[in-house]
Amino acid sequence: MSGNIELLSTTLAAAKAEDRAALIAYLPAGFPTVDGGIEAVKAVIAGGADVVEIGLPHSDPVLDGPVIQTADDIALRGGVRIADVMRTVREAYEATGVPILVMTYWNPIDRYGVERFTAELAEAGGAGCILPDLPVQESALWREHADKHGLATVFVVAPSSQDARLATITAAGSGFVYAASLMGVTGTRASVGAQAQELVGRTRATTDLPVCVGLGVSNAGQAAEVAGFADGVIVGSAFVKAMLDAPDEAAGLDAVRSLAGELAQGVRKR
């Protein structure tokens, strides 16, 4: 079975045709439980998310701030496994038809086996992977199997990336480019900052892929600001915090659905 890279591309293109940015939501698998995590993904989609990233919980998350680290810790202590990540992708995709990616560090894939991981992700209906710590120059094996199985390879670029480096990264990627709005880890911020707009401009000069901005967006106003210059707005920590702050799972689902609705309005007010 082939993965859903084409669905991802058409979804992002459809948002652009509507003269808006896509809303991309991030939630970790297994948080607060595997079943609860699946319901949370459905809730953000019901609220208006166009694309969802499923985080593969990892004990050494170099890009993730304290909010996502807390959720990952809950998932890991709950015994989450890669099979649960695949189940989350499968059930979310089958229930909604929305493109679902996995965001993961390289070590779990390397230990699991690249061929096994890509084959299972495609079979689950996944659209691809975001790989924040996989160097492009070491990515040939991954890209070979991802291409074979119809999966996008999304690399992360940062404000510190030089133009030549941006060109190398974007030439190797597919699906979209993940532009980190600032140097640092994930988390909500008071301001997303001008660095993001400059980075999007420099990245667009190297590629026709959509450029989507993450790290720091937490409300409709920030979503609208980023939607003014990016093809997609990526929100993670704000959704996870809404789940963490809720008194129970039902309230958490209501909170993330409501937040997705606010953000979906934001990306339409670019």
Side-chain angles (χ1 to χ4, degrees):
M1 179 176 174
S2 180
N4 274 313
I5 185 174
E6 288 302 324
L7 175 63
L8 175 64
S9 297
T10 57
T11 299
L12 294 173
K16 185 175 183 179
E18 294 173 10
D19 193 31
R20 66 174 179 89
L23 174 60
I24 303 175
Y26 167 96
L27 286 165
F31 168 73
T33 62
V34 176
D35 288 342
I38 292 167
E39 292 307 310
V41 175
K42 294 178 185 176
V44 296
I45 293 169
D50 299 291
V51 178
V52 175
E53 304 172 10
I54 304 296
L56 194 160
H58 187 48
S59 58
D60 187 25
V62 294
L63 186 69
D64 296 317
V67 170
I68 292 175
Q69 284 186 30
T70 298
D72 278 3
D73 185 57
I74 290 168
L76 290 167
R77 284 190 285 111
V80 71
R81 296 289 181 266
I82 288 179
D84 300 310
V85 177
M86 298 299 178
R87 180 186 155 212
T88 301
V89 172
R90 177 181 292 102
E91 294 194 15
Y93 169 65
E94 289 178 349
T96 67
V98 163
I100 311 288
L101 300 106
V102 170
M103 185 165 186
T104 178
Y105 298 99
W106 180 246
N107 182 260
I109 295 178
D110 190 38
R111 293 186 63 179
Y112 197 72
V114 176
E115 169 59 22
R116 180 184 177 195
F117 189 95
T118 52
E120 290 183 7
L121 182 56
E123 191 275 330
C129 262
I130 301 162
L131 301 158
D133 68 339
L134 177 63
V136 170
Q137 62 270 26
E138 298 175 19
S139 68
L141 178 65
W142 164 266
R143 288 186 285 127
E144 174 190 342
H145 289 288
D147 290 348
K148 181 171 75 170
H149 290 291
L151 298 169
T153 297
V154 179
F155 289 114
V156 179
V157 298
S160 61
S161 302
Q162 299 298 312
D163 291 349
R165 178 68 176 161
L166 286 176
T168 299
I169 294 170
T170 58
S174 57
F176 65 91
V177 181
Y178 186 127
S181 66
L182 40 76
M183 301 303 293
V185 297
T186 58
T188 59
R189 300 291 198 286
S191 172
V192 178
Q195 287 185 103
Q197 186 167 0
E198 181 196 13
L199 175 59
V200 169
R202 292 195 297 119
T203 304
R204 281 198 176 132
T206 71
T207 184
D208 292 328
L209 289 173
V211 182
C212 304
V213 170
L215 273 68
V217 177
S218 61
N219 58 52
Q222 290 173 334
E225 176 191 353
V226 174
F229 57 81
D231 298 298
V233 179
I234 303 168
V235 180
S237 293
F239 284 119
V240 176
K241 188 174 188 300
M243 292 286 289
L244 285 169
D245 290 349
D248 54 50
E249 189 175 306
L253 296 178
D254 287 342
V256 295
R257 187 182 300 108
S258 175
L259 177 58
E262 295 169 18
L263 293 164
Q265 288 184 331
V267 300
R268 287 163 171 80
K269 294 178 181 175
R270 53 194 305 175

